[in-house]
């Protein structure tokens, strides 16, 4: 298992430099290196291209969780039309809707006075909404007061899942989301011609969601009837970052820069590293399961700012 301590990450970086440096002195060094790489599980696959890899500063403050589901949610708009589509078309439309899937964590007290926790899953109400939501999110454009101000996306509840148990912390940081940005180039950061850049951000946890079953349906219906937060649809709108969120994101990026600078200085031998660095991981941010962990927006006097939901549910 990879050592995620600062020392472990530094050691891995230095070992990779030592491994790859022997290819720098030859004209076809990169191709020789790619040819020497082996896929860990499929020996028939070969590496054909490489990209410079950097932390994704724009996404570093975000929280990412990888979800596995025992039963995938299906959009309601396909439930009555299942027989009208072949399997390939049905899968295409279902995947289109799932691209914009929304989770809503819930907690309520049941008829026995016990706290119940579960996660509700919402999908776009129709194909047009699913297409609009995916296109808007994939565009990556910032919030625009003119084009986004009055645009709503209606999502309908598709399925409920039991709240998963918090995963083991030792296994939570082995996942990373990597994107290739063809528009960004490595000019100025590495020798050679401009080339696309790969950026990474840690996925904070990986959990399995299991379909939620209600053993006592009549009592469950009464609980829903008495639940003031029970809804079957959400009307969502995009919005700009609040001032507090802007400060939180800036704090996360600054902390990332600070740790990188400390490691560069330490690796050069110019200055000893901060004694607290060994206990710091550069995976800034919380996850779905954080309730008592200090937020990356915390300041040095111990006060912390908690994240607030970015949407308001509408019945």
């Amino acid at each position: 298992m990879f050592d995620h301590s600062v020392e472990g990450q530094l050691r891995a970086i230095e070992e990779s430099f030592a491994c790859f440096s022997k290819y720098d002195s030859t004209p076809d060094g990169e191709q020789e290196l790619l040819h020497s790489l082996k896929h860990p599980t499929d020996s028939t696959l070969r590496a054909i291209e490489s990209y410079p890899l950097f932390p994704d500063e724009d996404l570093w403050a975000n929280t990412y969780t990888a979800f596995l589901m025992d039963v995938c949610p299906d959009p309601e708009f396909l439930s009555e039309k299942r027989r009208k589509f072949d399997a390939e078309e049905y899968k295409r439309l279902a995947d289109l809707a799932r691209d914009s899937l929304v989770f809503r964590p819930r907690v309520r007290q049941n008829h026995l006075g016990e706290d119940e926790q579960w996660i509700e899953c919402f999908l776009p109400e129709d194909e047009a909404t699913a297409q609009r939501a995916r296109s808007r999110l994939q565009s990556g454009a910032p919030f625009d007061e003119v084009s986004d101000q009055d645009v709503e996306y209606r999502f309908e509840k598709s399925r409920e899942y039991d709240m998963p148990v918090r995963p083991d912390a030792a296994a939570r940081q082995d996942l990373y989301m990597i994107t290739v940005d063809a528009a960004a180039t490595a000019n100025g950061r590495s020798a050679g011609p401009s080339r696309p850049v790969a950026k990474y951000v840690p996925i904070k946890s990986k959990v399995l969601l299991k379909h939620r079953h209600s053993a006592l349906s009549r009592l469950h219906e009464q609980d829903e009837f008495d639940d003031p937060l029970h809804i079957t649809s959400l009307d969502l709108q995009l919005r700009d970052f609040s001032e507090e969120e802007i400060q939180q994101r800036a704090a996360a990026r600054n902390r990332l820069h600070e740790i990188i600078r400390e490691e560069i200085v330490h690796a050069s031998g110019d200055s000893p590293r901060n004694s607290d660095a060994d206990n710091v991981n550069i995976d800034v941010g919380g996850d779905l399961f954080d309730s008592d962990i200090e937020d990356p927006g915390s300041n040095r006097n111990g006060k912390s700012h908690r994240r607030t939901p970015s949407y308001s549910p509408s019945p």
Side-chain angles (χ1 to χ4, degrees):
M1 182 174 291
F2 185 78
D3 182 358
H4 285 275
S5 68
V6 172
E7 288 292 348
Q9 294 181 59
L10 180 59
R11 184 167 54 253
I13 293 172
E14 291 173 343
E15 289 175 354
S16 68
F17 286 163
C19 174
F20 300 145
S21 61
K22 61 183 179 181
Y23 296 99
D24 289 339
S25 58
T26 59
D28 298 325
E30 181 174 342
Q31 290 303 315
E32 293 177 9
L33 172 60
L34 292 174
H35 184 72
S36 69
L37 297 177
K38 296 181 179 180
H39 193 275
T41 59
D42 190 342
S43 60
T44 63
L45 297 179
R46 292 288 182 270
I48 60 174
E49 193 172 3
S50 65
Y51 299 102
L53 180 64
F54 304 106
D56 194 327
E57 299 179 6
D58 294 331
L59 301 182
W60 200 262
N62 294 349
T63 299
Y64 295 97
T65 297
F67 289 98
L68 302 176
M69 305 177 189
D70 62 348
V71 180
C72 282
D74 284 329
E76 288 296 320
F77 69 85
L78 287 181
S79 60
E80 299 178 358
K81 302 178 180 179
R82 178 182 290 270
R83 297 180 180 179
K84 297 181 180 180
F85 301 110
D86 57 30
E88 184 176 343
E89 178 65 7
Y90 186 90
K91 181 179 183 303
R92 183 190 70 81
L93 292 173
D95 288 343
L96 171 66
R98 295 183 193 122
D99 278 349
S100 306
L101 183 150
V102 172
F103 285 123
R104 183 185 185 228
R106 289 295 320 277
V107 178
R108 79 171 174 214
Q109 197 172 69
N110 62 21
H111 61 282
L112 299 176
E114 301 170 338
D115 284 339
E116 290 182 309
Q117 299 186 53
W118 73 97
I119 295 178
E120 297 174 342
C121 172
F122 292 79
L123 293 173
E125 66 172 346
D126 52 36
E127 181 181 356
T129 302
Q131 186 63 59
R132 285 193 302 116
R134 183 172 72 171
S135 298
R136 179 62 184 88
L137 294 174
Q138 288 184 343
S139 72
F143 175 79
D144 184 271
E145 293 185 359
V146 176
S147 60
D148 292 323
Q149 184 67 45
D150 299 320
V151 178
E152 288 190 348
Y153 304 86
R154 169 151 289 209
F155 284 65
E156 295 181 344
K157 186 162 68 174
S158 172
R159 199 174 294 276
E160 294 180 347
Y161 298 91
D162 291 325
M163 178 67 75
V165 178
R166 183 173 185 139
D168 179 50
R172 287 169 56 208
Q173 299 181 18
D174 291 333
L175 296 174
Y176 296 87
M177 180 175 70
I178 298 177
T179 57
V180 176
D181 189 348
T185 64
N187 256 352
R189 299 180 114 170
S190 65
S194 299
R195 59 195 304 186
V197 168
K199 300 180 180 180
Y200 74 92
V201 64
I203 296 176
K204 306 304 294 186
S205 53
K206 177 181 178 181
V207 296
L208 171 64
L209 294 181
K210 296 184 178 180
H211 184 211
R212 183 171 181 248
H213 298 281
S214 300
L216 303 175
S217 59
R218 183 171 298 178
L219 293 176
H220 176 70
E221 290 177 0
Q222 185 61 42
D223 287 337
E224 287 192 344
F225 181 78
D226 296 335
D227 184 0
L229 297 179
H230 172 66
I231 58 175
T232 59
S233 63
L234 292 170
D235 288 331
L236 305 182
Q237 287 183 303
L238 296 180
R239 64 169 176 80
D240 205 353
F241 289 110
S242 67
E243 184 61 33
E244 181 179 356
E245 290 167 334
I246 292 174
Q247 293 176 4
Q248 290 175 352
R249 298 174 70 82
R253 284 194 298 269
N254 290 340
R255 184 56 183 149
L256 172 64
H257 295 167
E258 178 184 343
I259 294 175
I260 291 175
R261 284 195 300 267
E262 288 180 359
E263 289 309 312
I264 292 174
V265 172
H266 174 70
S268 67
D270 293 339
S271 173
R273 191 194 313 117
N274 188 322
S275 60
D276 295 331
D278 290 333
N279 298 320
V280 176
N281 192 291
I282 62 174
D283 289 346
V284 180
D287 60 32
L288 174 70
F289 307 92
D290 282 344
S291 58
D292 56 354
I293 296 177
E294 188 176 81
D295 190 87
S298 302
N299 56 29
R300 295 186 181 274
N301 62 15
K303 296 181 180 179
S304 61
H305 305 284
R306 309 310 304 172
R307 288 187 177 88
T308 56
S310 57
Y311 63 84
S312 299
S314 301

